[in-house]
Each structure stands twice: as C-alpha cells, then as structure tokens.
Amino acid sequence: MSELFPDYRATWETDAHRDLRKHAAEFLRKESTPNQERWAAQHAVDREFWNKLGDAGLLGLDLPEEYGGAGGDFGFSAVVAEELALAHDTSTGWIVHSPIVAHYINTYANDEQRQRWLPGIINGEKVLAIAMTEPGTGSDLQAVKTTAIRDGDHYVINGSKTFISNGTHCDLLVIVAKTDPSQGAAGVSLIVAETDEKLKGFERGRVLEKVGQHGQDTRELFFSDMRVPVANLLGAQEGLGFYQLMEQLARERLIIASLCAGLAESAVLEAIKYTKEREAFGRPLIKFQHNKFELAELKAEALSIKTTVDYCIQSYIDGNNDPATASMAKLIAADKAVDVVDRCVQFFGGYGYMMEYPIARAYAAARVNKIYGGTSEIMKEIISRSL
C-alpha cells in the first residue's frame, strides 16, 4: 500500500504483489536503510547483503521456480524497485542484478548454463553485472571496441569498460564484445565471464567517484588476453548480442521508470513530514499557503508519474514489449522525478544540502536516471519513430 496514495492500486497489482510490497518494505527498512551512510563511505554494500537479499527471496522474482525463483511477472520487480526508493536506498545494485542481467541469462542461456548459473543468482551467491559502456562508447552499442576472438575452445577478450555497476562484487559478468569486428552490429556477442580468482587477464579498476549513489560499487573493468570458454556465449550463435540488447532495453527502461516513480513519491513524503515538523515564525512550514500549494502540486506530479509508469507496466505484462511505450515511461518518470526531488529539497533549506538527509542523497542520485538505460534524448528519438 502506498503511504502517499493509500487507496491507489495499479491494474496489474494483485494480492501477491501487495504481499511482496509489504515484505520488501519491511526487509529494506531493516537491512538497507540504516546502512546507507556506511555503504556510501565504503563505496559498496556489504557482500553479505546480497546473500540476505537471496534469503529474503528478492533476487529471483520473475525467474523460474525450478531454479529457486518465484516465477512471477514483471510487476514483482517493479514493486521492489519502488520500495528500494521508498527505503532511501541509493546503494544497492539490485536493479542491475535481478530485473536486468538475470533476465538476459534466463532468456538467452541454454539449459546447461541456466542449471549452472541461475540457482546462485537467485540465492545471492553470484552477483551479476553487465559490461556495456566503454570510455568512448555509450548509447551507440554497435560501436564497442572490446573484442572476443575465438581461439579453440576459448574467446580471448581484450578491451575496457567503464561505469560498471556491481563492479566490485560481481561474480558473473555479461560482456558486450565484438566476436567479428568487421561486421558492425552483426558482429556483437554477449559472453559471460566467471570472475573468480582463476580468471587471468581480468582487472577491476578504480571505484568511480560519482555525483550520487556513493554506496554503489561502480568501477572500470579491464580485459587483457582474458580467456573465457566458448561455452559461456549467450545465444545459439555468435553475432546475436546487439539484437539481444535491443530486445531487453524496453525492460531495462521500465524498471528504471519504476524506481523513478518510487523516488518521486519518497521525496514528497519526506517533504510533507519535514514541513509538518519544522517551524518558522511560530508555525509549521506546511501552514504557509505557498508551501501547501507547492506540496499539493508535487503530490499530483508524483501520482502522474506513477500512473504513467503503471500503464506501461500493464502493457508490458500483457505482452506488448513496445520500445516506444517503455521509452515514454522512462522519459516522463526520469525527467519529472528529477524535478520533483529538486523542488522537495527546497523545503529543507540548508539541511536539504546535507548528505546525512535522505532527500539530499535522493537529489544526488536522481539525475543519472536521465542518462543511463538510454538518455532522455535517445528516448525522444525512439518515441519520435512511432509518430
């Protein structure tokens, strides 16, 4: 149940989704919220937190039951994404692990690969990351320069990646690489590296100092003649990687939109709470007409984000994996959430600029949602093609 909108219920939300929401909220407020400042200081969540997420059943929500998953629909992931924001979590790379990379493996892996990887992914023993972005390549994924050249039963991988979430803890890394550099998009493949101490030629670079999300282990990664078995290729053949990426991007954009909906709602809740407690000139801030009107508008904005995202989630659950619809969800949710959080900061005065306050961490974390998963400009380009 939404604290800001207690009578609201999305069309896709069942009793199972509501039970999950309650469970996730209780777990995250106990295990995540109190640790945000410490995780920010160490630039990573505790490795054991991933095992706790697995024990709580929050890592395999829409993965098959035969591997330990819950077998749910996309709405299960959307619920947890919202609750992460409502718990003021700006550290956990859950979105990368569970609704994004795990789905790549479940969708494109063969039976042997699923048997080998999915149980550990679901119980938290294997943390996931995906290596797309390179120092000179962002949204144009067909321009990646990392190569994976076959040598017998192995690929020899050379290149570098940057902005890799879960870069410190990842045990399984999906690498976007060129298996045939002469073929452009048709030469891109996805290859899974098992990044244990036996993997030679793999180096985790520096932890990147970001504007926000300081507790998330975002790093550079380097591959130097790194040998990965050909058996770790995702898909029936080489050259499918670009198309696999394009097929999954709608899902990635929807989960980011879900997080943004939770982010906006959380910011408004914090602002309402603070303006009821903080006094100026002998009365609570919320008693001033300007503040009341501003909060009323912000609540309406948060609801508009929520309903837009929920409409798009319902469409996805119904089987309409439409890139334009997902792009509209991300465009609206990311852009509007940044604005809502920014306006909520203003109620806090100087305290809104202090990182010990959740609203400040939300402000710093929100901006990147207009960039990763495809920039707002890319979203407009995709939407424009449907006009």
Side-chain angles (χ1 to χ4, degrees), residues 104-262:
Y104 276 94
I105 291 176
N106 184 51
T107 304
Y108 304 118
N110 58 39
D111 289 341
E112 185 276 331
Q113 291 170 331
R114 290 193 194 95
Q115 291 282 353
R116 182 153 46 107
W117 293 327
L118 283 180
I121 289 169
I122 291 167
N123 65 27
E125 290 179 5
K126 303 290 186 183
V127 178
L128 295 173
I130 186 164
M132 293 190 200
T133 306
E134 297 180 354
T137 304
S139 297
D140 185 11
L141 292 172
Q142 60 186 311
V144 296
K145 291 182 171 57
T146 297
T147 58
I149 305 303
R150 184 163 182 169
D151 179 25
D153 293 333
H154 288 79
Y155 289 111
V156 180
I157 301 179
N158 285 282
S160 63
K161 300 289 184 177
T162 193
F163 309 148
I164 308 305
S165 301
N166 296 342
T168 296
H169 291 316
C170 68
D171 304 286
L172 295 175
L173 176 68
V174 177
I175 301 171
V176 181
K178 287 281 184 66
T179 45
D180 187 345
S182 69
Q183 292 298 309
V188 176
S189 299
L190 303 185
I191 301 166
V192 180
E194 297 168 279
T195 58
D196 55 28
E197 65 280 356
K198 299 177 183 178
L199 183 62
K200 306 301 181 184
F202 173 69
E203 180 184 353
R204 302 179 202 261
R206 65 192 175 103
V207 177
L208 300 171
E209 291 284 350
K210 306 186 297 299
V211 171
Q213 300 182 352
H214 298 147
Q216 196 171 115
D217 52 334
T218 308
R219 301 185 82 123
E220 298 172 320
L221 300 178
F222 301 97
F223 319 124
S224 179
D225 290 334
M226 184 178 78
R227 298 180 69 86
V228 175
V230 170
N232 286 16
L233 176 72
L234 283 184
Q237 63 191 52
E238 294 178 0
L240 301 177
F242 182 77
Y243 309 102
Q244 293 165 337
L245 289 165
M246 293 302 102
E247 190 173 43
Q248 296 301 319
L249 278 174
R251 179 185 177 87
E252 179 177 344
R253 287 159 183 165
L254 268 181
I255 202 65
I256 294 171
S258 298
L259 176 72
C260 290

Side-chain angles (χ1 to χ4, degrees), residues 1-2 9-25 58 61-62 70-80 82-83 310 313-314 317:
M1 180 185 295
S2 168
R9 185 164 181 167
T11 56
W12 53 264
E13 197 169 359
T14 66
D15 289 342
H17 292 108
R18 292 169 75 87
D19 289 343
L20 172 63
R21 187 180 295 280
K22 180 180 179 181
H23 167 62
L58 298 177
L61 296 167
D62 54 358
D73 59 25
F74 180 81
F76 283 75
S77 291
V79 163
V80 177
E82 288 181 17
E83 292 303 325
D310 283 335
I313 290 172
Q314 183 67 69
I317 291 173

